[in-house]
Amino acid sequence: EKQIAEKERLEKEKLPEILKLEIANTNKGGSLINSYGGMIYSRDTKYLKPRISYKAYNSRQYKFDIKWIKPDGTLRYGDSSPAGYSQSRYYALNKGYGVLELDGWGNDIKGHWKAGNYAIEIWCNGVLLIRKNFDIFKKEKIKSSEKIMEILV
């Protein structure tokens, strides 16, 4: 009986699994500039918004601590960032499989994120659930004559 109670306690504490993590570039209100999983160009960047596909073992609130890591390996943070993380928030997950959009991180000024290879980490209760590297690309302005040549070729 004691073992059953301990097993139930561990199941209740079991953290969700993140099966997939995609990032979109959005405006402050969350409307898409670049779709989830699509190419993100530096000059268009504002807020990067993660979306997760998950498997939760019970329905409850989980606190996700998120690290946005710059190409040089340092942490992106702001005035309201919790110690050691970029952002933190509680999210309600339903038992089973689901998809959830997390809060975006960035600024309303276009070009906020410079080109380079970044990483995002999602932590819960001090445990790293997922780390994903992603690229932000430099997009050069194309002269109209070059664009016409691209179409003709």
Side-chain angles (χ1 to χ4, degrees):
E1 209 171 285
K2 210 175 191 182
Q3 284 180 324
I4 293 169
E6 179 66 7
K7 188 177 178 183
E8 286 174 359
R9 185 185 69 77
L10 289 172
E11 275 297 310
K12 283 182 183 174
E13 291 177 6
K14 196 166 186 183
L15 299 177
E17 291 178 52
I18 297 181
L19 308 171
K20 186 176 185 180
L21 170 59
E22 297 174 296
I23 297 167
N25 179 31
T26 71
N27 288 311
K28 189 174 186 177
S31 59
L32 294 177
I33 297 170
N34 302 101
S35 62
Y36 285 100
M39 301 269 290
I40 299 174
Y41 294 100
S42 177
R43 76 171 191 207
D44 301 327
T45 58
K46 287 190 175 184
Y47 292 89
L48 298 187
K49 188 174 182 68
R51 179 176 70 185
I52 60 170
S53 298
Y54 67 86
K55 179 182 180 186
Y57 295 91
N58 45 65
S59 296
R60 70 181 193 98
Q61 297 267 331
Y62 293 94
K63 183 181 176 194
F64 288 155
D65 299 307
I66 298 174
K67 293 182 181 186
W68 292 97
I69 301 165
K70 297 187 269 188
D72 67 4
T74 61
L75 181 71
R76 288 191 77 133
Y77 61 91
D79 294 340
S80 61
S81 294
Y85 297 96
S86 304
Q87 64 194 108
S88 185
R89 190 182 141 200
Y90 282 91
Y91 293 92
L93 273 64
N94 294 316
K95 184 177 181 175
Y97 294 91
V99 176
L100 181 68
E101 290 182 358
L102 307 181
D103 288 345
W105 180 265
N107 193 294
D108 214 27
I109 299 166
K110 264 190 166 187
H112 182 72
W113 296 77
K114 303 299 174 219
N117 181 260
Y118 292 80
I120 180 174
E121 294 179 354
I122 300 176
W123 294 73
C124 186
N125 294 349
V127 175
L128 178 62
L129 299 181
I130 193 167
R131 176 187 168 101
K132 180 179 178 121
N133 285 54
F134 64 95
D135 291 308
I136 295 178
F137 298 95
K138 187 173 184 176
K139 186 178 183 181
E140 300 295 333
K141 290 185 179 179
I142 299 170
K143 294 177 188 166
S144 59
S145 61
E146 289 175 337
K147 203 168 192 174
I148 292 166
M149 286 305 291
E150 275 182 24
I151 294 167
L152 294 174
V153 174

